[in-house]
Amino acid sequence: MATGLAAATARRHLLHLPRHRWAYLSSSAATTEGLDGGDGSGGGRVKIFDRDLKRRHRDRAAWAMGETDALADAVADNLLDRLEDCRKAFPSALCLGGSAGAVRRSLRGRGGIEKLIMMDMSADMVRKWQEMENATDDGLETHFVVGDEEYLPMKESSQDTIISCLGLHWTNDLPGAMIQVGIEA
């Protein structure tokens, strides 16, 4: 009887382990602004990523970033190869965060892009891109914007294409970001 009781307790403990583990991970990885927004209105939403922490990480990455990054360049090349499959030209493009520097290095006239707006939520990262841009003279009109991917500071339909290379996976509201860039989620 004692061994049966011990086995049942052990089984119960094992059955509850994943739930406790999930509760631990979910409480440390995601926070909420209150399910009711704190005012009873029901307008709160789950915040998976701390956007301020992400900005600080991007600031730190800016001063540690080298002139090139083989992995980011390979991903950007694969992404931009898709522009060559399109018959349409995209004279104006917005590149959202992530590896926008790699996109800029790999662009080389693909997609008919004549004007590129590079945007990141880190002012330090944008300054780093501007420094690298000063060393490049390929005739591409490039503008730099500090902004958040979740709240685009652009007019609707003001860009011909939106590019994101390793950047949108940090957004809390990916469907909302897709709606802002003109993709139905």
Side-chain angles (χ1 to χ4, degrees):
M1 175 95 170
T3 56
L5 182 61
T9 304
R11 262 195 315 265
R12 228 182 346 232
H13 179 69
L14 288 175
L15 290 174
H16 290 291
L17 181 62
R19 180 176 177 188
H20 292 299
R21 178 180 284 164
W22 172 251
Y24 174 74
L25 288 175
S26 66
S27 66
S28 65
T31 60
T32 61
E33 296 177 347
L35 295 178
D36 63 354
D39 61 359
S41 66
R45 65 176 204 213
V46 175
K47 287 179 62 180
I48 299 169
F49 301 106
D50 182 341
R51 301 295 287 170
D52 187 52
L53 181 62
K54 181 208 174 210
R55 182 193 46 76
R56 290 190 313 245
H57 287 175
R58 298 286 294 160
D59 287 343
R60 186 176 62 220
W63 63 261
M65 186 172 66
E67 292 296 318
T68 61
D69 179 346
L71 176 63
D73 289 344
V75 173
D77 273 336
N78 286 337
L79 176 67
L80 294 173
D81 280 345
R82 296 176 188 167
L83 287 178
E84 294 176 349
D85 294 336
C86 298
R87 293 180 187 205
K88 180 181 177 183
F90 303 100
S92 178
L94 170 64
C95 188
L96 300 175
S99 297
V103 169
R104 175 67 180 87
R105 286 190 300 272
S106 300
L107 201 53
R108 297 186 299 271
R110 294 184 200 185
I113 296 175
E114 300 166 359
K115 175 184 170 189
L116 178 66
I117 300 171
M118 297 172 62
M119 188 186 91
D120 197 276
M121 67 186 314
S122 164
D124 291 347
M125 186 63 73
V126 171
R127 273 193 291 283
K128 180 72 170 192
W129 292 338
Q130 286 174 321
E131 291 170 8
M132 289 194 286
E133 174 66 20
N134 292 337
T136 307
D137 186 24
D138 60 1
L140 180 64
E141 180 183 345
T142 308
H143 300 273
F144 302 91
V145 175
V146 176
D148 192 334
E149 298 92 355
E150 290 187 359
Y151 308 101
L152 294 179
M154 304 288 164
K155 290 181 186 175
E156 186 177 332
S157 301
S158 65
Q159 302 300 310
D160 296 311
T161 188
I162 311 280
I163 301 169
S164 178
C165 182
L166 305 174
L168 285 178
H169 60 281
W170 284 307
T171 59
N172 287 309
D173 183 16
L174 188 57
M178 294 289 103
I179 290 168
Q180 286 185 65
V181 298
I183 298 173
E184 292 191 26

